[in-house]
Amino acid sequence: DKSTIVSFNGAAEKLFGYSSHEIVGQPLDLLIPAGLRARHGAVVAEFSTENCLGRPMRHMGNMTCQRRDGSVFPSEIAISKVV
């Protein structure tokens, strides 16, 4: 599934405010502000058709993420395929 969280380490737990137990298996959209979800979804959909296994997402500019409490913060993320 291109939009499901499959791994969440301790640093991510502290940063986002979710435990690994509660977030793994949930939609990635939980970590993205509502106004940016469509744009991010389009990038993920495009990536899913490419032959590479991973790439940085710096070409998008600053990525904004959202914590459990609703606060947002700038971030640099990467995308990779799990085979």
Side-chain angles (χ1 to χ4, degrees), residues 6-75:
V6 297
S7 178
F8 211 70
N9 64 28
E13 290 179 330
K14 290 178 184 176
L15 183 62
F16 287 97
Y18 291 97
S19 71
S20 176
H21 177 74
E22 66 187 325
I23 196 85
V24 169
Q26 297 298 314
L28 183 60
D29 283 354
L30 285 177
L31 306 179
I32 301 169
L36 300 175
R37 291 175 185 165
R39 180 176 179 216
H40 184 264
V43 171
V44 171
E46 176 188 330
F47 175 70
S48 71
T49 66
E50 297 176 359
N51 290 329
C52 63
L53 293 178
R55 68 176 171 157
M57 294 182 73
R58 286 177 280 228
H59 68 280
M60 289 180 61
N62 291 332
M63 178 68 188
T64 301
C65 294
Q66 181 172 301
R67 293 183 179 93
R68 182 180 190 163
D69 67 6
S71 63
V72 297
F73 62 97
S75 180

